[in-house]
Amino acid sequence: ISDLDYLFLQLQLQYKVDLHERNSLIIFDEVQLCPLARQAIKSLVKDHRYDYIETGSLISIKKNIQNILIPSEERKLSMYPMDYEEFLWAAGSDSNVFHDICRLDEKMGNLINRKLMRDFRLYMAVGGMPQAVETYIATNNFDDVDRVKRQIIELYLEDLNRMDKSGKLAKIYKLSLIHISEPTR
């Protein structure tokens, strides 16, 4: 961080991109794995050349901040899975139909109803996690989507185990997954 010109030059060479002042965004993904990178944000923001986004697990970030200076420039945004309408946008479905439902005074025809129910069942099966939606769109394969969702769950479990060495939180989380996924009889 002592030589920002060199840092930006290295980023451009490593990632084969051109950085343009006030028009480029640098993303620090999984910043919890490198707390010093998070601390460096203060110097980078002060430089004013580029904008920055940090992503990562808040559980791990809070655990890994001993002995580092947290940047006051940091603004936290809560991120959520895609809702049904966002899923329709991502999947390329006609989300206008979604809005038109609210304005219909007469009963929907069977064709529209079937399409909407199909899309909604698809959303329920794929879920709203962006990586799962992206996988579905790319592969149209539920096995691949399921693999992605299981990987996300494993990441949650790793975070819980880091936060609680006894493993109790992870066990509670696993039990909640079992009860959610069990069919009702």
Side-chain angles (χ1 to χ4, degrees):
I1 297 302
S2 61
D3 185 353
L4 292 179
D5 291 330
Y6 180 74
L7 172 71
F8 297 136
L9 178 63
Q10 287 301 311
L11 284 174
Q12 292 178 86
L13 291 171
Q14 290 286 325
Y15 293 99
K16 296 175 179 54
V17 298
D18 290 328
L19 294 176
H20 304 281
E21 285 192 29
R22 301 310 316 142
N23 284 319
S24 292
L25 173 70
I26 298 173
I27 299 174
F28 289 87
D29 193 22
E30 301 298 339
V31 74
Q32 78 274 8
L33 300 175
C34 188
L36 292 176
R38 186 168 181 224
Q39 181 176 316
I41 292 291
K42 187 165 193 72
S43 299
L44 295 169
V45 168
K46 187 177 178 182
D47 179 66
H48 293 292
R49 281 187 248 185
Y50 309 108
D51 292 312
Y52 304 91
I53 292 178
E54 304 168 61
T55 71
S57 163
L58 279 180
I59 293 171
S60 296
I61 286 174
K62 288 178 181 175
K63 190 122 177 122
N64 293 336
I65 59 172
Q66 301 93 344
N67 304 321
I68 71 163
L69 177 67
I70 303 300
S72 58
E73 296 80 6
E74 189 173 87
R75 285 184 289 162
K76 293 184 176 114
L77 296 174
S78 297
M79 302 296 291
Y80 302 97
M82 292 180 189
D83 63 22
Y84 177 55
E85 185 177 15
E86 292 166 330
F87 174 81
L88 290 176
W89 292 337
S93 290
D94 185 10
S95 61
N96 291 330
V97 172
F98 179 74
H99 288 290
D100 291 342
I101 293 170
C102 302
R103 288 178 264 178
L104 282 177
D105 290 335
E106 68 245 17
K107 292 186 178 196
M108 287 184 284
N110 279 338
L111 189 62
I112 294 172
N113 185 47
R114 275 183 280 185
K115 181 190 179 341
L116 290 172
M117 291 307 294
R118 179 197 159 279
D119 288 347
F120 186 70
R121 283 192 298 274
L122 186 60
Y123 171 67
M124 296 303 292
V126 173
M129 296 304 286
Q131 192 175 4
V133 174
E134 180 180 53
T135 300
Y136 169 73
I137 292 167
T139 67
N140 201 28
N141 184 311
F142 285 113
D143 286 335
D144 293 341
V145 171
D146 188 54
R147 231 180 327 280
V148 166
K149 291 194 291 187
R150 288 179 189 280
Q151 289 169 350
I152 292 169
I153 289 170
E154 286 302 315
L155 290 173
Y156 289 163
L157 289 170
E158 286 174 20
D159 276 348
L160 290 171
N161 282 323
R162 268 190 235 112
M163 190 172 83
D164 172 32
K165 298 293 183 197
S166 74
K168 289 180 184 177
L169 282 175
K171 285 180 187 175
I172 292 169
Y173 181 71
K174 282 182 187 177
L175 285 172
S176 73
L177 292 174
I178 291 169
H179 293 297
I180 290 171
S181 63
E182 283 181 353
T184 54
R185 297 179 205 259

